[in-house]
Each structure stands twice: as structure tokens, then as C-alpha cells.
Amino acid sequence: MRSQLTPLRLWLLVLPAVLATAATASEVSILGTYSSGDFGGAVDNTVQSTWLRFATGDRYQFRVAAPYLRIEVTDVVIQPGMGSIPTRREGRQGQTNGTGGQNGQQMDNSTEDDFSDQESTTATSSTASGLGDVWMSGFMRLLGGNAKVYRMDTGLEVKAPVADETQLLGTGEWDYRFVLSGEYRFWTALTFATVGWNQLGDPEWVDLNNVLDLVVGAESDPLWDRFIVTGWFEGNQETITGLGNRTAVGVGFRSLGRFRWRVLATAGLSGPAEDFSIGFGLSMGIEPPKTGVGGVGL
């Protein structure tokens, strides 16, 4: 049985890195999100997640993030009429990331055959909660940065499967995401984009496709020297055959300074996207420079 990584143990692992990088650009963030939708299937699901993240560095960056999840899955049981066979629709919901995107831990909804003489339906809900899978990331600046109007980074994100997959809090498999991101600043706005290649491990209950994902957006110059508005489009190829590609749009509003807050929201456009997702986050410390995420991610 896999040993569970508690938040206390996680921060005992992170603490040496925090102390070693105290003199560099480092921040600690917490972000809570609420997502709801059928995620491309036949039943409704809600996901509440609270992310804790540490990030440090400039030319070379390190990040580690861990979520605590609460997932509610709705099952619909169809009571048949005379001569029919009972049917059941089941929903499976995996872990989402900070923006509502699913990054490899996707929804698998399966629906058996329906029958014409159904009498009634009964909805039942099940809830699971616990620590989700831990994400560890390393990035390197390739071009620009500092006083230049452009910057490009590349990096690798690794998902360590510490969540309880029997409760569908994770897939129980290692995932890898290879990232290339960049930004360019104009007179009144900054544009950014990220392309990621996701190599996803297959859990026992579903085969996952390796997919490309994309985030493209822009953010304003500081308003009244205190606030920034961000808008973006995000999407990825279908991770489960038959669910289709996921697309969504988002908007964010955040403050500046050593103690910062942010609010963000996304709305699904197609495929296994959430109907909507909302989030609120707090960050402390000196924000490390980063490309391709702006005010979107944690």
C-alpha cells in the first residue's frame, strides 16, 4: 500500500529549499478553487481543491505544489419499467489543476444502454477527500528576461502519484509535462503563451492518451500601479478517446506587492471542460519571474 504524503511531511521536504533560497526571489502561495460540470460525460461532478505551492529562482526555477481535494460524484440509477433491464450511469472524476484544467487526471464517464420504458431515476452522490498528487517543476530561462521586453523558458513538470487512487483522487501513475513558454511586452499589455506535451500514465480503469496542451493570453499593465487584469484561452487534445478536445476561456484579477491576492474564473467551451471554475489565492514573498502563466496559475 502506498505511503500517504501528508501536508506536514511535504513541507518538511520543502523547508530546506525555502531556507536555502531565502535571499532569492521566492514565494509561498495558497489557492482554493471550485469546479463544476459533467466533464464531457452524463453526470455532474464538483471538485474543490486547495493548492499549497512554493516557488523560487529566476534563470533557474523550482516549484512544488500539492492540493487537498474534495470530490463529489453523482451516480444516476434508472429504475426500468416492465420488461427492461436496470441501467446505471457512473461518473469518475480525477484531480484538476489550479486553473480547472485536468492535466492527465481526467473524467471517465461510462453509460450503459438505455431502455425505452424507464419509470424513474434516482440520483445518489458519493464524496471523497484527501491529499492529491504532488507536482514538482523545474524551469530554465532560454532567452530574454531582466530589462528585455521578451522572455522564453523551458521546463519539466512531474506529477508524483501520492493520492489515493482507490477514491479516484489521482490516477496512481506518474505523469510528465514538457513545457515551452514565452512572453512579449507591448506598450500597454503583455502577451504570453505556453505549449506543453503531456506523457500520461494509464490507471487500471482507463487508457489515457498523451496530449498537447496550449495556453494563450494577455495581461494589462498595472492599473493604478496596484492591479493587473488577465485573459486567456486554454485547451488540450482529448485524453480519453471519445470525449473530444477540451477548450475553455478564463479571466483573472490580481494585486501587486509582497503580499498579493488573486481571483480567477474559467468557463468551458467544449469537450470534457468544466462548466465553470472559480478560484481565490494568496501569495507572500518576492514573486519569481515566470512566462506563459501570467496571473493564470498558482
Side-chain angles (χ1 to χ4, degrees):
M1 182 175 180
R2 180 179 293 110
S3 175
Q4 295 296 305
L5 183 61
T6 65
L8 177 60
R9 291 176 180 175
L10 172 65
W11 280 103
L12 288 177
L13 294 175
V14 173
L15 182 59
V18 176
L19 298 177
T21 59
T24 66
S26 304
E27 71 173 354
V28 176
S29 302
I30 185 169
L31 175 69
T33 64
Y34 176 91
S35 301
S36 179
D38 59 18
F39 299 90
V43 297
D44 291 328
N45 300 263
T46 61
V47 183
Q48 301 175 44
S49 59
T50 302
W51 288 83
L52 189 63
R53 192 195 76 168
F54 170 74
T56 186
D58 184 354
R59 182 176 180 85
Y60 301 97
Q61 289 195 19
F62 169 76
R63 306 173 198 167
V64 58
Y68 185 86
L69 303 173
R70 185 180 185 276
I71 299 172
E72 183 176 349
V73 179
T74 302
D75 292 338
V76 178
V77 180
I78 301 175
Q79 303 296 333
M82 185 68 65
S84 295
I85 302 175
T87 63
R88 180 180 180 86
R89 297 177 180 176
E90 297 182 344
R92 291 180 176 179
Q93 171 62 51
Q95 178 178 329
T96 62
N97 66 15
T99 67
Q102 290 157 309
N103 277 351
Q105 298 165 76
Q106 296 285 338
M107 179 72 185
D108 176 24
N109 284 321
S110 57
T111 306
E112 297 181 7
D113 294 334
D114 291 332
F115 294 87
S116 58
D117 52 351
Q118 300 160 355
E119 290 184 345
S120 63
T121 60
T122 302
T124 61
S125 296
S126 59
T127 301
S129 60
L131 187 68
D133 292 331
V134 175
W135 284 88
M136 298 169 287
S137 310
F139 297 88
M140 179 180 68
R141 188 179 72 211
L142 297 177
L143 299 171
N146 298 323
K148 294 183 173 63
V149 297
Y150 62 90
R151 176 173 172 140
M152 180 175 290
D153 292 77
T154 188
L156 172 65
E157 297 181 327
V158 179
K159 187 208 75 178
V162 301
D164 186 352
E165 68 271 24
T166 63
Q167 296 190 70
L168 303 178
L169 297 175
T171 63
E173 303 293 332
W174 291 82
D175 293 345
Y176 305 91
R177 181 172 181 255
F178 303 90
V179 184
L180 180 65
S181 61
E183 66 180 26
Y184 190 90
R185 179 172 296 280
F186 294 92
W187 286 105
T188 58
L190 180 144
T191 58
F192 59 87
T194 295
V195 177
W197 170 251
N198 298 269
Q199 182 174 321
L200 308 177
D202 293 329
E204 295 181 356
W205 47 272
V206 68
D207 291 330
L208 299 178
N209 303 321
N210 297 328
V211 300
L212 282 171
D213 66 64
L214 173 69
V215 178
V216 178
E219 64 180 31
S220 69
D221 279 345
L223 306 175
W224 306 288
D225 297 323
R226 296 183 62 184
F227 307 108
I228 289 178
V229 178
T230 307
W232 69 92
F233 168 87
E234 62 183 73
N236 58 261
Q237 296 173 304
E238 63 176 13
T239 57
I240 298 176
T241 301
L243 284 187
N245 300 330
R246 175 187 177 273
T247 57
V249 293
V251 62
F253 187 65
R254 61 191 175 106
S255 66
L256 300 174
R258 292 184 66 93
F259 183 83
R260 301 173 298 281
W261 54 263
R262 73 188 66 198
V263 292
L264 54 90
T266 60
L269 298 178
S270 66
E274 66 280 9
D275 290 342
F276 70 91
S277 177
I278 56 176
F280 177 79
L282 297 173
S283 298
M284 296 174 289
I286 301 174
E287 184 176 10
K290 52 185 180 291
T291 63
V293 291
V296 179
L298 177 61

